[in-house]
Amino acid sequence: MIVKETKLKGCFIIEPQVFSDKRGYFVENYNQKALNKALSLDINFVQDNESKSSKGVLRGLHYQLGEYAQAKLVRVVKGAVLDIVVDLREGSKTFGEHVSIELSESNKTQLFVPKGFGHGFIVLEDETIFSYKCDNYYNKASEAGIIYNDEDLNINWQLPSTDFILSEKDLTLPTLKDANL
């Protein structure tokens, strides 16, 4: 696998090795030992999640607080998304900055999102299946988020806002300035 750190320290793009032939392809999506060595971390994922969404669905920007903070390894099984991560680590040189990357079934690229980051994505193709591993269990009382259209973040979601489909919860999230970090 090829691992590249983004401009946000601790956030990595992971390109797994794909073996293709006339039968199709084979890819090892996850190997704990290899990933920990490549990232120089000791990550133990405890929960796998998956969502299926239509084009225009925007999920995020989400994170969990305190002892329930989560690192994630995210990827697309089918379709494509524009994945967004925002550095929410107070005191970080890149606090409030974000990175966007297209994850798709064709590029098989993954993104490692460390604890202390907000995460979200917008679906670029119908019937997209998004999968992610978490190193901590979900805790409803610790969930938090930032509104997708925060002017200070100035995120380009690549689709017209008239095409966005958001949950009621995500429409009421605070700005970064007002967020509980």
Side-chain angles (χ1 to χ4, degrees):
M1 76 178 125
I2 299 170
V3 176
K4 302 175 199 167
E5 191 166 27
T6 69
K7 71 176 185 174
L8 306 177
K9 186 169 178 54
C11 181
F12 296 91
I13 297 167
I14 300 163
E15 298 173 2
Q17 189 171 10
V18 180
F19 303 92
S20 298
D21 63 24
K22 64 184 177 184
R23 300 168 298 165
Y25 71 86
F26 173 84
V27 62
E28 183 178 70
N29 286 313
Y30 176 68
N31 178 311
Q32 184 177 18
K33 185 176 178 181
L35 183 69
N36 282 340
K37 182 177 180 183
L39 302 183
S40 299
L41 295 171
D42 185 19
I43 301 294
N44 182 33
F45 291 114
V46 297
Q47 183 175 324
D48 276 355
N49 300 313
E50 182 175 293
S51 66
K52 180 179 177 184
S53 304
S54 302
K55 183 177 181 179
V57 167
L58 193 159
R59 298 180 187 263
L61 299 158
H62 303 145
Y63 56 97
Q64 288 199 171
L65 297 167
E67 67 180 289
Y68 294 102
Q70 295 175 322
K72 298 176 182 175
L73 181 63
V74 304
R75 69 186 186 97
V76 167
V77 177
K78 180 178 184 254
V81 304
L82 179 68
D83 202 78
I84 306 287
V85 292
V86 180
D87 187 347
L88 302 177
R89 301 170 298 182
E90 293 180 297
S92 167
K93 292 179 183 176
T94 55
F95 176 80
E97 292 184 29
H98 69 276
V99 166
S100 65
I101 180 172
E102 186 171 320
L103 305 177
S104 71
E105 70 180 299
S106 60
N107 70 21
K108 306 214 180 326
T109 298
Q110 300 179 34
L111 188 66
F112 175 78
V113 183
K115 292 179 181 185
F117 280 62
H119 175 257
F121 62 89
I122 190 160
V123 178
L124 303 176
E125 295 180 13
D126 276 329
E127 304 295 309
T128 290
I129 298 173
F130 185 85
S131 177
Y132 59 103
K133 297 181 175 306
C134 301
D135 76 338
N136 205 347
Y137 297 101
Y138 169 76
N139 180 277
K140 185 168 181 57
S142 297
E143 69 179 17
I146 296 169
I147 191 77
Y148 73 97
N149 60 355
D150 184 315
E151 291 180 6
D152 290 334
L153 296 179
N154 194 30
I155 296 170
N156 176 0
W157 292 96
Q158 292 187 2
L159 293 178
S161 60
T162 54
D163 292 350
F164 294 177
I165 303 166
L166 289 103
S167 70
E168 290 301 317
K169 181 179 81 171
D170 286 354
L171 286 169
T172 61
L173 292 172
T175 63
L176 177 59
K177 286 179 184 173
D178 296 326
N180 181 9
L181 302 176

